[in-house]
Amino acid sequence: MSGNISRSPKKPGVAAPSNLDDICVAGITPFTTIDFPGRLAGVFYLQGCPWRCRYCYNSEFWSMPPAGTRVPLEKILHFLAARKGHLDGIVFSGGEPTVHERLPVWMKAVKDMGFEMGLHTGGMFPGRLREVLPLCDWVGMDIKAPFSLYEKVTQIKGSGEIARESAAVVLASNVAYEFRTTVHPSLLQESEILELARELSTLGCKNYVLQMFHSEHCPDKELRENDVPAAGISANLRQTLKSLFPSFQVRE
């Protein structure tokens, strides 16, 4: 996900498709080259997330609607109309997009306007994920930890088994994807990263990314005060992970 989130400007009215009139967009990134591989894209950040991941840098979107921010529908429609022919796709991010029952309707409405669909998810709702995958051209799924250790990151009991199910759903879908894990030594030791990588490889994951923790906007004081550089990932671990996945990278 990227920064530069826009939340307010006003433009003249545009007629609203009825299937978008309740869309819960809390913020918009108008242009990104990093959130949807190979595409120029915009990002819609949907309000609401039931997990409390300690390193989350979008914690402002945790509260469920009607709490939190809501971008006016008028602005969303103008954004989409103005970007037709200029952006390849729109990424639904959050928060957690799949928390919303209406996500399939919203995604289809935007796709029908001619945009490719990207999805950022933690995999909290496997059933809804399965429902929207046919609409997706690419999925980025955050894999937090070895599935038995998920609660250490999400602070939610049982989250690991839910995430495992969602990972399997993505892998079975034939939709292009990226699994990525945020690394902080207070949350994941090298042995645990390797354990997780082996779990993902066994599931059939081919595309895996380790991404470095960044302290900006992190709600957890302990993690912010114990930030460390990417050099904490040893050359031996990097080499081992390269051998497990056809596509592997460390994103600084």
Side-chain angles (χ1 to χ4, degrees):
M1 302 180 201
S2 60
N4 188 27
I5 300 171
S6 164
R7 292 185 176 79
S8 55
K10 303 164 183 130
K11 296 197 175 190
V14 171
S18 60
N19 50 6
L20 279 179
D21 57 10
D22 58 348
I23 190 169
C24 298
V25 175
I28 297 173
T29 292
F31 177 84
T32 173
T33 60
I34 63 173
D35 290 284
F36 194 161
R39 280 83 157 185
L40 303 179
V43 183
F44 286 175
Y45 298 86
L46 302 192
Q47 185 71 44
C49 182
W51 290 358
R52 293 295 179 264
C53 299
R54 292 181 58 194
Y55 53 66
C56 181
Y57 52 87
N58 281 339
S59 58
E60 64 195 283
F61 302 135
W62 279 351
S63 299
M64 293 299 298
T69 304
R70 191 157 184 164
V71 176
L73 178 61
E74 186 178 335
K75 180 189 172 184
I76 296 168
L77 295 173
H78 271 288
F79 173 84
L80 291 168
R83 267 56 176 195
K84 278 187 181 181
H86 301 285
L87 292 180
D88 301 312
I90 298 294
V91 179
F92 280 75
S93 187
E96 171 53 47
T98 62
V99 75
H100 297 282
E101 291 183 6
R102 293 269 293 169
L103 179 65
V105 175
W106 300 336
M107 290 184 75
K108 185 177 187 305
V110 176
K111 192 176 183 76
D112 286 348
M113 295 177 74
F115 295 98
E116 293 184 85
M117 284 290 97
L119 177 69
H120 291 169
T121 182
M124 297 163 209
F125 297 90
R128 194 156 300 130
L129 178 60
R130 189 178 285 108
E131 188 178 356
V132 300
L133 278 169
L135 297 169
C136 293
D137 298 286
W138 176 82
V139 175
M141 181 172 171
D142 296 310
I143 307 290
K144 314 294 185 177
F147 297 115
S148 64
L149 300 178
Y150 246 62
E151 186 179 347
K152 183 165 68 169
V153 177
T154 66
Q155 305 184 82
I156 301 294
K157 290 183 178 179
S159 52
E161 286 309 306
I162 293 170
R164 186 198 300 271
E165 181 181 350
S166 288
V169 167
V170 171
L171 292 171
S173 71
N174 293 318
V175 174
Y177 69 90
E178 171 186 285
F179 287 172
R180 63 273 187 104
T181 300
T182 297
V183 176
H184 189 295
S186 295
L187 296 175
L188 287 177
Q189 301 299 311
E190 279 207 357
S191 60
E192 293 166 340
I193 296 171
L194 182 56
E195 178 186 349
L196 169 57
R198 286 175 171 155
E199 288 180 329
L200 294 177
S201 179
T202 298
L203 283 173
C205 174
K206 308 294 185 187
N207 187 359
Y208 186 48
V209 175
L210 291 184
Q211 53 191 22
M212 296 303 98
F213 168 82
H214 293 284
S215 60
E216 297 88 349
H217 309 298
C218 172
D220 191 296
K221 182 179 178 182
E222 178 189 347
L223 297 187
R224 291 197 309 270
E225 293 179 349
N226 292 284
D227 194 4
V228 294
I233 299 176
S234 70
N236 282 343
L237 179 58
R238 293 176 190 235
Q239 197 59 41
T240 300
L241 296 185
K242 283 181 181 179
S243 73
L244 288 173
F245 305 101
S247 175
F248 169 73
Q249 64 175 298
V250 175
R251 187 172 294 146
E252 312 293 348

